[in-house]
Amino acid sequence: MDWETVIGLEVHAQLKTRSKIFSGAPTAYGAPPNTQANVVDAALPGTLPVLNREAVRMAARFGLAVGATVHKRSVFARKNYFYPDLPKGYQISQYEHPIVEHGRLTIVTDQGEKVIGITRAHLEEDAGKSLHEEGEGVTGIDLNRAGTPLLEIVSEPDMRSAAEAVAYLKVLHTLVRYLDICDGNMQEGSFRCDANVSVRPRGATRLGTRAELKNINSFRFVERAIEYEVRRQIALISGGGTVRQETRLYDSVRDETRSMRGKEEANDYRYFPDPDLPALVISAAFLDEVRAEMPELPEAKRRRFGEEYGLSTYDAGVLTASRELARYYEDTVQAAGVDPKLAANWVTGELAARLNEAGLEINAARVSPVALAGLLRRIADGTVSGKAAKDVFEAMWAGAGDADTVIAAKGLRQVSDDGAIEEIVRQVMAANPKQRSQYQAGEEKVFTFFVGQVMKASRGKANPAKVNDILKRLLRD
Amino acid sequence: MNAEEIEKVAHLARLGLSEQERKAYAAELSRILGLVSQMNAVATEGVEPMTHPDEAALRLRADVAIPGVSRERLLAGAPQTERGLYLVPKVLE
Amino acid sequence: MVGRIKANGALNAFITVAEDLALEQAKAADEARAAGAARPLLGVPIAHKDIFCTAGVRTTCASRMLADFVPPYDATVVEKMRAAGCVTVAKTNMDEFAMGSSNETSYFGAVRNPWNQDRVPGGSSGGSAAAVAARLVPGATGTDTGGSIRQPAALCGVTGLKPSYGRVSRFGLIAFASSLDQAGPMAQTAEDCAHLLAAMAGFDDRDATSLDVAVPDFVAGLRGDLKGLRIGIVKEHFAEGVEPRVLAVLRDALREYEGLGARLVDVSLPNSGHAVPCYYVLAPAEASSNLARYDGVRYGYRAEGYRDLEDMYKKTRGEGFGPEVKRRIMIGTYALSAGYYDAYYVKALKLRRLIADDFTRAFEHCDVLAGPTSPSPAFALGVKNTNPVSMYLNDIFTIPINLAGLPALSLPAGFVDGLPIGMQLIGRYLDEGRLLNVAHKFQEVTDWHARVPAGF
């Protein structure tokens, strides 16, 4: 049977606020346990939540960026359950009335563009951490993370393959960093993903029973977890079984998903509006402020790069993958005043390779946009050949100075002087009379032999275009 | 409320109840629910639920991190701690 | 003062006597006075209901769960009153987590009514009411979720005010039902209450429901006369179910008001009869969630001899909470659970709206409402605590006000069988200044509030 996979994703993005969503405690990651938690986070008696304006602003920014409705009125509810890292015995979260609804995000796959619906995005607080390696029979509780603001972004079940799910996640990941609302660090759990996966016979209109996959903390694992789960469900149904609606944990070591049956007891979260927090009302003025500070979004930037710089969709996509990379590229183009395509080749080529090798982010590049622009100008004006430029770049990366300094120091200046090149050409012709006769007899392919000889004689420094021109002229004489 | 419901609700609320308490609560809670069910006599179609006595919008806080009490003071009243962590009986993963 | 408090232990009005803190604060007040400071509350000893967190002084909420809890912070009310010069002498007894109308649910034992020690003082702020009535302190704080300031004030013959919701910060006030809880003063007179409220009230950025509005001069507002004041007489409050001699006391009091130039107007609160059922869904629902934090992990009681986490939770909460608290957690959990949420919780929220709207309509015809605070004088200890429903019905006149978020005050209006009777005055939203004025004028021409129980 031909099967169709249906995937919806729930992403928890930690918002980059300075303080927590309902308390003034700092949100720094990696601090000693329970040093970033205050009396509100630890739910001491009589303490109360007060909502962080910045978290609201960030949620609204996200809503606008995905073309969603940012509701004038939204409501915080309490989700009640007992867990030792949930200090109040309830999580404050938006339930029936989220701040953001009905958005969309465009992804690009091998099949082209596709629009993925965003059902909703809502604000909530993170829980603390349970540490299970604290000793025999005990679990340690660290509340540093408790109360960190989260934006839970729920997609429609619009994705049809693991590849689409990954593409969506990457677009979302890029977007939240563009918006400067989340650092996107998946290792530290700033950007977490749960996947709802089901399969159905192709053509069926009803959705199959879904499993919720939890604990997927990298793009690669999202793909593998979904692929494993799809295989499992198809095998199960094909074998006459049925899929249970349940939560499954992805185990990246064994590359499999496992049922969390132990936790599947009938949860009854008893949601109700939090009486400590009246309805959140967003004024038109507030929304205007948020709109005014909205950066250019990845999709718009990608289209603009295509139109303004004449870049391919692929190059434009690579160069707009992060706000920082795009800024680097544009700074380079502006400083150099050269063909934007040449700049694109260098940023996506040599520069990307060096960064990759060194494991650096673009902000830590050892060649600045201005320095790279200096080199590109020398390529454009014929001072150095493309080949020699790579050596120059390597030296610049190693800290040898700007392009002109390196070119001078290494003697890599290209010979473009007609007289000098003519001199070399004449010497080469004199040394190879037989080949010259062949050329004059119509054996055109001998021409490349002469080019090679001239370049060799100039130790690679002759301007290849000039060599071509002069050879063509003199060989016929 | 029957014994099964008492059991379910007590579990949701994580309340350990003795046999005697269960019996007493079953009777008392039924009486209270009887009182509460008087609400059904009132027609409330189209009435907007009132969750807060004051309809003012939620007031927001500036995003400023401020130092709280020290960890020592925060953990001072905790029944069991070790190396700055609260300790609980092992949570089964 | 501390000596008198200690000598009157039989009332059981206090859970903790803050002797060292009191001496320290009294000394500071003396020094301030010597330096020329002259604030009205400077050096005035007061007692805080043991529901307000006091930094370094244990705060129990009258529960085994918090019997040894020492908060690292002061409630905003405590902070503000200290700033006004008050000296904290003790923490008063109360119903456990403020759940009760007789002060019999306290883990630290029942409080006795100074007028008759076989009677209850009312609740949940019973310790504060008894302490003021017995003249052990001139003023005390209370909290009122369904009548917990006004009913014990009535039963003990003192004046107590529940301000409008949002007028006084709830930060550091241990929550019972967050959308209903409000802190307020209890004292012998409305004038004293005006001074105390002036110190307590005001905006607090640590409470998202605290109102950012100016606080009027409550003391200056006491002076206005009552000529032309329209007092609404709620038809439903003068009906069956109220002890006839209580009503007689009320009618006499209303005649006094007519003598002061006020006019009586008949009004109706048709939905107020549903307030008790509505309240006994909403308050327990909120409480069931508010009290989930008492889990034996970060502070407070933890049971011994548990098998695992689940067992630790259940034993801790089963042993740490008393019967009434557990009863309400059960009711509230049930009302919020799947399948019952709409029928109970949402239904109650809709009724709440109808009840609040009744007041809006009534205030189109009058300036304040007056009626009995409680349907009967103080009842005997041990009589009602075996029947929750009859206990709950005690608060029939006070509960609607909390649901609507309005201010209301109880003041002494007379006696029945030697027991004080309270009159409740209800005001428009944020109109507590008028309530204090109306009560003060009554106290200028009567002396019910000045009577002292025998032996105190």
Side-chain angles (χ1 to χ4, degrees), chain C residues 234-237 268-278 351 354-355 358-359 395-397 399-401 403:
Chain C
V234 182
K235 187 174 79 181
E236 291 81 3
H237 289 189
S268 171
L269 301 172
N271 290 294
S272 65
H274 308 298
V276 171
C278 171
L351 269 176
L354 295 180
I355 291 162
D358 278 356
F359 283 103
D395 299 330
I396 189 159
F397 301 136
I399 279 174
I401 287 90
L403 292 170

Side-chain angles (χ1 to χ4, degrees), chain A residues 22 39-51 73 77-90 95-96 137-138 141 143 265 267-278, chain C residues 53 66 69 71-73 165 169-175 177-179 205-209 285-286 288-295 297-299 309-310 313 317 332-334 336-338 341 345 349:
Chain A
F22 296 118
V39 295
V40 178
D41 305 316
L44 262 66
T47 57
L48 296 169
V50 184
L51 182 59
R73 186 176 176 280
R78 294 182 179 179
K79 179 183 184 179
N80 295 284
Y81 64 97
F82 284 87
Y83 204 75
D85 60 22
L86 187 73
K88 294 187 291 297
Y90 57 85
Y95 179 57
E96 275 183 287
V138 294
I141 306 296
L143 298 181
E265 62 166 82
N267 272 325
D268 183 346
Y269 292 123
R270 291 159 284 136
Y271 284 98
F272 74 107
D274 192 328
D276 287 326
L277 297 162
Chain C
C53 287
L66 292 175
F69 175 63
Y73 48 90
Y165 185 84
S169 168
R170 293 185 298 116
F171 183 85
L173 184 177
I174 298 178
S178 310
S179 80
D205 62 11
R206 290 178 294 182
D207 173 3
T209 60
E286 292 185 21
S288 70
S289 177
N290 281 336
L291 272 61
R293 66 187 60 197
Y294 307 106
D295 59 3
V297 176
R298 295 164 313 285
Y299 47 80
L309 179 68
E310 193 85 1
Y313 280 151
R317 292 168 59 78
T333 303
Y334 181 76
L336 289 174
S337 66
Y341 180 79
Y345 184 71
L349 290 179

Side-chain angles (χ1 to χ4, degrees), chain A residues 158-233:
Chain A
D158 284 349
M159 286 149 281
R160 293 291 174 269
S161 67
E164 283 187 4
V166 171
Y168 166 83
L169 260 193
K170 285 189 171 166
V171 170
L172 189 60
H173 188 250
T174 299
L175 179 64
V176 295
R177 283 176 306 139
Y178 256 75
L179 295 173
D180 204 24
I181 63 175
C182 173
D183 68 19
N185 191 322
M186 295 176 89
Q187 288 309 309
E188 291 177 3
S190 312
F191 189 85
R192 312 196 284 266
C193 175
D194 301 336
N196 290 311
V197 179
S198 65
V199 297
R200 62 180 172 188
R202 195 170 298 284
T205 47
R206 279 190 51 215
L207 291 174
T209 306
R210 66 189 158 88
E212 187 181 2
L213 310 185
K214 286 209 177 277
N215 196 30
I216 340 187
N217 61 1
S218 81
F219 293 122
R220 198 163 57 97
F221 292 159
V222 168
E223 188 153 20
R224 284 166 52 174
I226 292 172
E227 279 168 355
Y228 173 86
E229 181 60 19
V230 168
R231 283 197 304 276
R232 187 189 72 88
Q233 290 186 13

